[in-house]
Amino acid sequence: RIVYVNGDYLPEEDAKVSVFDRGFLFADGVYEVTSVLGGKLIDFDGHAKRLARSLGELDLAAPVTTDELLAIHRNLVERNDVTDGMVYLQVTRGAAPDRDFAFPDPDEVRSSLILFTQSKPGLADSPAAKTGIRVISIEDIRWGRRDIKTVQLLYPSMGKMMAKKAGKDDAWMVEDGMVTEGTSNNAYIVKDGVIVTRNLGTEILHGITRAAVLRFAREAQMRVEERPFTIEEAKDADEAFITSASAFVTPVVEIDGTPVGSGTPGPVAERLREIYLEESR
Ligand code: PDD
């Protein structure tokens, strides 16, 4: 695989980052995941905009322009022959000469940019889309700026492991009795035809797939409510689903052992998945 590191395209085994990189030492960095379907990048502009926002919120300098970023994405997809899969991008504050909590002077230490691809043949017809996934609920103990897409992913990883240990697929996180989001996706329920998902704020990541799916839902005259909901409300819903760049729209058929609705993927999730895939390809 060819990867991108700070201006160079290199075989993965030759790519290097410093042991002093602040991404590595302080999780001082942000990332984006953009899906590739049929060789085409899905929603690149949305991901580029969110990246700019994440960088701004952390006073991190953009290492390249958006046009350059697009060229790098395209280059990697082509060089690695990615038909279906994803491009991972990470910007960190770079390698300061000493381990110091204070940010280094941006004129002296340049931010670092790396990208790589991952091929996932048949990404759009994953088995989970047909069967739906089963989730557990866990307490959301992440930091309070989940709207910034930082590389601090330890708790979401632990959540995923808690789900796996319980024989399930993923975890929905709950704060003050209200569902925030999945470990790496946004969470939705459907009740009496109304799609409900948490409103935007610092409590959740502003999903790029979320924005697209809500737009398509409204265009299709479906009713949408952006507000917090409880796990009890979710268990009692007609349907539940998640969205993310890698899962697109994936039905949730069970929460904490309780089947949601019929316990099989629901029509709203299936329709939104179809619309999303058709419109974004
Ligand atoms: N995760 N919420 C969280 C906590 C996420 O990590 C993600 C994305 C989303 C969905 O955002 P989007 O629709 O822009 O992908 C919501 C990516 C896919 C990941 O970490 O792999």
Side-chain angles (χ1 to χ4, degrees), residues 1-3 5 8-17:
R1 205 165 21 174
I2 300 293
V3 303
V5 189
D8 296 322
Y9 291 90
L10 299 166
E12 62 180 78
E13 54 278 13
D14 297 338
K16 291 188 172 60
V17 292

Side-chain angles (χ1 to χ4, degrees), residues 235-276:
K235 287 179 191 165
D236 188 46
D238 301 325
E239 283 185 47
F241 62 93
I242 57 164
T243 66
S244 78
S246 43
F248 309 118
V249 178
T250 297
V252 171
V253 295
E254 185 195 290
I255 301 171
D256 289 334
T258 305
V260 180
S262 60
T264 56
V268 174
E270 282 184 336
R271 176 140 180 251
L272 285 174
R273 183 180 174 90
E274 262 170 44
I275 299 176
Y276 178 76

Side-chain angles (χ1 to χ4, degrees), residues 135-146:
V135 304
I136 59 168
S137 62
I138 61 172
E139 184 75 15
D140 194 341
I141 59 165
R142 295 174 300 162
W143 81 323
R145 289 303 306 276
R146 301 156 195 159

Side-chain angles (χ1 to χ4, degrees), residues 31-35 46-47 50 86 88 120 142 146 149-150 153 156 173 181-188 204-211 243-248 276:
Y31 75 107
E32 284 294 334
V33 174
T34 303
S35 271
H47 290 282
R50 185 173 62 193
M86 62 94 155
Y88 177 88
K120 294 185 196 165
R142 295 174 300 162
R146 301 156 195 159
K149 199 163 172 61
T150 75
L153 297 175
M173 295 180 279
E181 56 190 334
T183 57
S184 58
N185 44 67
N186 290 114
Y188 306 72
I204 62 166
L205 185 74
H206 303 186
I208 302 307
T209 320
R210 178 189 181 282
T243 66
S244 78
S246 43
F248 309 118
Y276 178 76

